[in-house]
Coordinates of all heavy atoms in Angstrom, one line a residue:
E64 N 5.6 6.4 -36.3 CA 5.9 5.3 -37.1 C 6.7 4.3 -36.3 O 7.7 4.6 -35.8 CB 6.7 5.8 -38.3 CG 5.9 6.5 -39.4 CD 5.2 5.6 -40.4 OE1 6.0 4.7 -40.9 OE2 4.1 5.7 -40.6
P65 N 6.2 3.1 -36.2 CA 7.0 2.1 -35.5 C 8.3 1.8 -36.3 O 8.3 1.8 -37.4 CB 6.1 0.8 -35.4 CG 5.2 1.0 -36.5 CD 5.0 2.5 -36.8
I66 N 9.5 1.7 -35.5 CA 10.8 1.4 -36.2 C 10.7 -0.1 -36.6 O 10.6 -0.9 -35.7 CB 11.9 1.7 -35.3 CG1 11.9 3.2 -35.0 CG2 13.2 1.4 -36.0 CD1 12.8 3.6 -33.9
P67 N 10.8 -0.4 -37.8 CA 10.7 -1.8 -38.2 C 11.9 -2.6 -37.6 O 13.0 -2.2 -37.7 CB 10.7 -2.0 -39.7 CG 11.1 -0.6 -40.2 CD 11.0 0.4 -39.0
E68 N 11.6 -3.8 -37.2 CA 12.7 -4.7 -36.7 C 13.5 -5.2 -37.9 O 13.0 -5.4 -39.0 CB 12.0 -6.0 -36.1 CG 11.3 -5.7 -34.8 CD 12.3 -5.5 -33.6 OE1 13.2 -6.2 -33.5 OE2 12.1 -4.5 -32.9
P69 N 14.8 -5.4 -37.7 CA 15.6 -6.0 -38.7 C 15.2 -7.4 -39.1 O 14.7 -8.1 -38.2 CB 17.1 -6.1 -38.0 CG 17.0 -5.1 -36.9 CD 15.6 -5.0 -36.4
V70 N 15.1 -7.7 -40.3 CA 14.7 -9.0 -40.7 C 15.9 -9.7 -41.5 O 16.4 -9.1 -42.5 CB 13.5 -9.0 -41.7 CG1 13.2 -10.4 -42.2 CG2 12.3 -8.3 -41.0
I71 N 16.3 -10.8 -41.0 CA 17.4 -11.6 -41.6 C 16.9 -12.8 -42.3 O 16.2 -13.6 -41.7 CB 18.5 -12.0 -40.6 CG1 19.0 -10.8 -39.8 CG2 19.8 -12.6 -41.3 CD1 19.6 -9.7 -40.5
T72 N 17.2 -13.0 -43.5 CA 16.7 -14.2 -44.3 C 17.9 -14.9 -44.9 O 18.8 -14.2 -45.4 CB 15.7 -13.8 -45.4 OG1 15.0 -12.7 -44.9 CG2 14.8 -15.0 -45.6
L73 N 17.9 -16.2 -44.9 CA 18.8 -17.0 -45.5 C 18.2 -17.6 -46.8 O 17.1 -18.2 -46.6 CB 19.5 -18.0 -44.7 CG 20.5 -17.5 -43.6 CD1 20.7 -18.6 -42.5 CD2 21.8 -17.1 -44.3
S74 N 18.9 -17.7 -47.9 CA 18.2 -18.3 -49.1 C 18.1 -19.9 -48.8 O 17.2 -20.5 -49.3 CB 18.9 -18.0 -50.4 OG 20.3 -18.6 -50.3
K75 N 19.1 -20.4 -48.1 CA 19.1 -21.8 -47.7 C 19.7 -21.9 -46.3 O 20.6 -21.3 -46.0 CB 19.9 -22.7 -48.6 CG 19.4 -22.9 -50.0 CD 20.3 -23.9 -50.7 CE 21.5 -23.3 -51.4 NZ 22.3 -24.3 -52.3
T76 N 19.1 -22.8 -45.5 CA 19.8 -23.1 -44.2 C 20.5 -24.4 -44.2 O 21.2 -24.7 -43.3 CB 18.8 -23.0 -43.0 OG1 17.7 -24.0 -43.3 CG2 18.2 -21.6 -42.8
E77 N 20.2 -25.2 -45.3 CA 21.0 -26.5 -45.4 C 21.8 -26.4 -46.8 O 21.1 -26.1 -47.9 CB 20.0 -27.7 -45.6 CG 19.2 -27.8 -44.2 CD 18.4 -29.1 -44.2 OE1 18.2 -29.7 -45.3 OE2 18.1 -29.6 -43.1

Side-chain angles (χ1 to χ4, degrees):
E64 287 273 312
I66 299 165
E68 289 287 316
V70 178
I71 310 295
T72 324
L73 288 164
S74 63
K75 288 190 271 189
T76 54
E77 297 191 340

